[in-house]
């Protein structure tokens, strides 16, 4: 059960979320004095909150149904393998990048993509939000996207360009492979693609946590959502936090919720991350932000970097993909293979 269901004031709820307490289980082993200090509420308010939490947590029916769902959710490994092999990936529109990703962005997983400013993180995020809508008949998921913008970097004009290019790509594919695209073309217009991107603008880390908590309900009501893009997961957590231990706890809770969403709804979660400097072996090096603890919370970690004038993506961590690099380009039509890759293909 989530904090927002407790019969407490909006102000108290906001203070709990800000302090990293988003579920009843997070309140189960804390004293009223510690809760009052960390949440900046009075001792009497803390006692009331813990009383409500204890009553709700021990209600019996919810606990028993929760345990029942856990036991009923058991799978054997063969079924899990078959399920994973049948999952459709979200293409990045770069064949080289898709190749090292095993087909594209994976559903049921949390993928972190980080890199320096200007490397194309937001461009890739918008591309994924568009490509998740490619119909089943064209090898896509036919889904919708949630785009959570913490920095104000989402550009609707750019999304329109990429949507138009996506439809153009399907039309080109159809000319070579299919003969019935005309009907699809009438049904799927750029405005429809933009209409299938649910956009949330987030202005503080408390809003970000509250929205992540709300996503379960939202996606339950919009079951065709197949990707959640957070651009970026980092911004507010680098601006508003002095207590690093608290930040780690809040981030861990948020990452766990996103993992549960990915599994529960068979969707992809894509977290865009910034870079920072890290002191290693006597020198400063660029590293993805939010620290070492955060680096273990995502299923896959992809680092975007420059090599001369070329953009590259490197798989830094994944349980199922080998470490590999691929060049890519940001073009007026969106993410594509790098120009040097195209030249090599023409030469061959």
């Amino acid at each position: 059960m989530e904090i927002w269901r407790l019969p407490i004031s909006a102000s108290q709820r906001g203070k709990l979320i800000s302090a990293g307490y988003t579920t009843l289980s997070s309140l189960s082993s804390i004293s009223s004095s510690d809760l009052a200090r960390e949440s900046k509420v009075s001792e009497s308010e803390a006692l009331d909150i813990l009383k409500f939490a204890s009553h709700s947590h021990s209600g019996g029916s919810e606990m028993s149904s929760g345990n029942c769902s856990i036991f009923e959710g058991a799978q054997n490994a063969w079924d899990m393998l078959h399920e994973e092999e049948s999952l459709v990936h979200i293409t990045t529109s770069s064949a080289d990048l898709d190749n090292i990703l095993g087909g594209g962005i994976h559903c049921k997983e949390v993928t972190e993509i980080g890199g320096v400013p200007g490397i194309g993180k937001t461009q890739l995020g918008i591309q994924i939000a568009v490509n998740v809508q490619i119909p089943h008949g064209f090898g896509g998921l036919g889904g919708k996207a949630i785009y959570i913008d913490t920095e104000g970097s989402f550009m609707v004009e750019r999304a329109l360009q990429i949507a138009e290019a996506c439809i153009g790509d399907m039309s080109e594919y159809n000319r070579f492979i299919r003969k019935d695209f005309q009907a699809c073309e009438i049904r799927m217009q750029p405005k429809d693609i933009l209409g299938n991107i649910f956009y949330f603008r987030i202005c503080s880390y408390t809003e970000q946590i509250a929205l992540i908590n709300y996503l379960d309900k939202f996606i339950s009501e919009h079951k065709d959502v197949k990707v959640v893009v957070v651009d970026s997961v980092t911004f507010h957590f680098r601006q508003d936090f002095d207590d690093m231990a608290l930040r780690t706890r809040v981030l861990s809770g948020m990452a766990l919720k996103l993992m549960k969403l990915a599994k529960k709804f068979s969707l992809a979660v894509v977290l865009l991350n910034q870079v920072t400097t890290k002191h290693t072996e006597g020198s400063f090096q660029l590293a993805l932000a939010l620290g070492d603890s955060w680096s273990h919370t995502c299923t896959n970690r992809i680092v975007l970097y420059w090599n001369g004038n070329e953009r590259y993506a490197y798989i830094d961590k994944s349980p199922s993909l080998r470490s590999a690099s691929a060049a890519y380009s940001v073009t007026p039509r969106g993410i594509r293979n790098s120009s040097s890759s195209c030249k090599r293909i023409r030469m061959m």
Side-chain angles (χ1 to χ4, degrees), residues 88-95 97-107 109 111 128 300 302 321:
V88 178
H89 301 95
I90 305 170
T91 178
T92 64
S93 289
S94 164
L97 186 49
D98 284 350
N99 185 46
I100 67 169
L101 290 172
I105 301 297
H106 294 222
C107 290
E109 294 181 359
T111 299
I128 292 166
N300 308 298
I302 302 167
L321 303 170

Side-chain angles (χ1 to χ4, degrees), residues 62-75 260:
E62 182 173 331
M63 287 296 292
S64 61
S65 65
N67 287 336
C68 183
S69 66
I70 291 172
F71 297 138
E72 290 176 354
Q75 287 180 283
K260 288 181 178 178

Side-chain angles (χ1 to χ4, degrees), residues 44-254:
S44 61
E45 286 179 302
L47 282 168
D48 287 340
I49 290 169
L50 291 176
K51 187 187 301 181
F52 288 133
S54 175
H55 176 73
S56 300
H57 198 56
S58 60
S61 61
E62 182 173 331
M63 287 296 292
S64 61
S65 65
N67 287 336
C68 183
S69 66
I70 291 172
F71 297 138
E72 290 176 354
Q75 287 180 283
N76 64 59
W78 177 254
D79 288 342
M80 291 171 64
L81 177 63
H82 178 72
E83 187 177 290
E84 288 182 9
E85 289 176 342
S86 65
L87 287 175
V88 178
H89 301 95
I90 305 170
T91 178
T92 64
S93 289
S94 164
D96 292 339
L97 186 49
D98 284 350
N99 185 46
I100 67 169
L101 290 172
I105 301 297
H106 294 222
C107 290
K108 286 195 163 187
E109 294 181 359
V110 178
T111 299
E112 178 187 20
I113 303 174
V116 297
I119 197 67
K121 298 186 296 295
T122 296
Q123 303 282 334
L124 186 52
I126 295 173
Q127 186 77 62
I128 292 166
V130 168
N131 287 358
V132 74
Q133 301 180 49
I134 294 173
H136 295 286
F138 291 88
L141 282 152
K144 296 181 180 180
I146 291 174
Y147 202 101
I148 301 171
D149 184 2
T150 68
E151 301 184 31
S153 13
F154 181 85
M155 300 161 286
V156 69
E157 296 85 0
R158 182 59 172 148
L160 177 61
Q161 285 181 334
I162 293 174
E164 290 171 340
C166 180
I167 291 176
D169 289 343
M170 287 190 289
S171 180
E172 185 177 349
Y173 171 86
N174 179 72
R175 283 198 297 270
F176 289 104
I177 306 296
R178 297 164 60 94
K179 297 180 180 179
D180 59 348
F181 181 69
Q182 188 62 36
C184 295
E185 188 175 27
I186 294 171
R187 289 198 303 269
M188 194 171 191
Q189 299 295 324
K191 66 177 183 179
D192 300 319
I193 292 179
L194 295 187
N196 289 333
I197 300 175
F198 300 109
Y199 175 81
F200 294 89
R201 178 70 172 99
I202 299 300
C203 298
S204 68
Y205 79 89
T206 53
E207 285 186 13
Q208 187 169 334
I209 295 168
L211 176 58
I212 299 301
N213 290 334
Y214 170 66
L215 285 183
D216 192 303
K217 182 176 185 294
F218 184 87
I219 298 172
S220 295
E221 297 169 354
H222 302 81
K223 293 187 181 297
D224 42 6
V225 168
K226 288 301 173 186
V227 69
V228 176
V229 180
V230 184
D231 180 14
S232 68
V233 70
T234 326
F235 184 72
H236 296 301
F237 288 93
R238 297 183 75 180
Q239 305 291 324
D240 303 335
F241 268 93
D242 295 321
D243 187 338
M244 291 297 102
L246 174 59
R247 187 182 82 162
T248 299
R249 187 174 70 204
V250 172
L251 282 168
S252 297
M254 185 177 67

